[in-house]
Amino acid sequence: MNPLLKLEYNTPHNTFPFESITPAFIEEAIHEGMELEMKEIEAITESAEEPTFANTIVALSATGELLERATTGMYNLLSAE
């Protein structure tokens, strides 16, 4: 199981489980993160509600959590290497 796809890492302070992360896990998490973020954005743009700051700007800023976690882990590993 890809540890990057979990919301909780079950590590001290919920830090990345670096010893368990492989390049294939990073790639999978990035692809899944992009797909999920596109679905989140589509849900916002296709909403029948009248656009407001809360349901557009705030909602858009809350998208892409999985993609952010995957790329953060990747860049941390890259920096450590």
Side-chain angles (χ1 to χ4, degrees):
M1 171 87 186
N2 187 337
L4 292 174
L5 299 178
K6 297 178 180 179
L7 293 176
E8 297 287 327
Y9 298 124
N10 199 22
T11 58
H13 309 290
N14 201 33
T15 57
F16 287 105
F18 290 109
E19 69 282 348
S20 303
I21 298 174
T22 66
F25 286 160
I26 293 171
E27 182 177 7
E28 178 188 10
I30 288 173
H31 284 284
E32 287 199 29
M34 288 189 297
E35 288 177 25
L36 181 58
E37 186 169 17
M38 287 303 299
K39 289 177 185 175
E40 293 168 339
I41 291 170
E42 285 176 15
I44 295 166
T45 60
E46 294 176 2
S47 174
E49 292 181 34
E50 182 72 26
T52 64
F53 186 81
N55 70 13
T56 54
I57 305 302
V58 174
L60 283 170
S61 69
T63 65
E65 181 181 347
L66 175 58
L67 182 58
E68 179 69 25
R69 280 196 326 265
T71 56
T72 298
M74 178 186 69
Y75 289 127
N76 277 300
L77 281 171
L78 178 64
S79 184
E81 294 291 327

